[in-house]
């Protein structure tokens, strides 16, 4: 078993059942690191058994129903299915998450929201999700109908002139080293 899965918490989180099976490595990247800095986790990909996945979904569902102030924090991975590349993924087309029918957009501004963007919007509209913090500025939450007033785009926004992306021609999922300063947060009634 890979070092990154050497404890139950690393395999299933602190709320996971100790009887759950260990995830199976489906993409072995050898010694390739998931990130160049700040971690020594390898770029392998794992999947749970269907039974464990079903139990994890049930646990997540109960956590969502019980939450009064749920927020979500997302990154480039949720936009891959829209045809926007995730610069950090090492396995690229070999990834199990890269479906063969993923659109290939030439201009990321033409990308359409994914199922994830639409589900998060529906969760907001149903009162479950209170706020969305995202690293992308690809406009897909807004295209899915998510309100700008409940969205923080930490690398800038194409929809909020008060917090433009910090590069004149940004890649929507590229983590930039220069951020606008001071940090600004949109909330109902104005920008903080």
């Amino acid at each position: 078993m890979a070092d990154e899965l050497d404890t139950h918490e690393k395999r299933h989180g602190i709320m996971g059942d100790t009887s759950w099976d260990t995830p199976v490595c489906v993409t072995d990247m050898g010694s390739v690191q998931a990130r160049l800095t700040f971690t020594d986790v390898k770029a392998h990909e794992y999947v749970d058994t269907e039974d464990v996945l079903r139990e994890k979904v049930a646990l997540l569902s109960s956590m969502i129903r019980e939450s009064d102030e749920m927020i979500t924090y997302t990154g480039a991975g949720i936009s891959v299915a829209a045809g926007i590349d995730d610069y950090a993924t090492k396995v690229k087309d070999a990834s199990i998450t890269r479906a063969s029918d993923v659109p290939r957009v030439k201009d990321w501004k033409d990308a359409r929201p994914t199922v994830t963007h639409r589900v998060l919007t529906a969760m907001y509209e149903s009162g479950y999700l209170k706020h969305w913090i995202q690293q992308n500025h690809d406009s897909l939450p807004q295209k899915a109908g998510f309100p700008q007033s409940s969205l923080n785009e930490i690398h800038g926004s194409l929809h909020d002139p008060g917090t433009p992306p910090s590069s004149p021609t940004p890649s929507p999922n590229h983590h930039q080293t220069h951020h606008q300063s001071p940090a600004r947060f949109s909330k109902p009634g104005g920008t903080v």
Side-chain angles (χ1 to χ4, degrees), residues 34-114:
R35 299 289 187 267
L36 297 177
T37 60
F38 69 81
T39 183
D40 59 358
V41 172
K42 303 301 181 217
H44 311 311
E45 292 183 329
Y46 296 86
V47 296
D48 284 310
T49 65
E50 290 205 22
D51 289 340
V52 171
L53 180 59
R54 207 174 352 269
E55 290 185 46
K56 285 183 176 183
V57 170
L59 176 60
L60 177 60
S61 296
S62 88
M63 291 170 63
I64 290 169
R65 284 191 302 276
E66 294 171 14
S67 174
D68 293 326
E69 296 295 327
M70 185 181 124
I71 65 169
T72 189
Y73 184 95
T74 62
I78 71 165
S79 297
V80 170
I84 298 175
D85 193 28
D86 170 7
Y87 85 99
T89 300
K90 303 296 186 264
V91 294
K92 298 294 180 194
D93 289 335
S95 173
I96 62 164
T97 62
R98 177 66 87 173
S100 60
D101 60 349
V102 169
R104 301 289 180 176
V105 295
K106 291 183 183 192
D107 184 343
W108 61 266
K109 292 183 285 297
D110 294 332
R112 306 304 314 151
T114 66

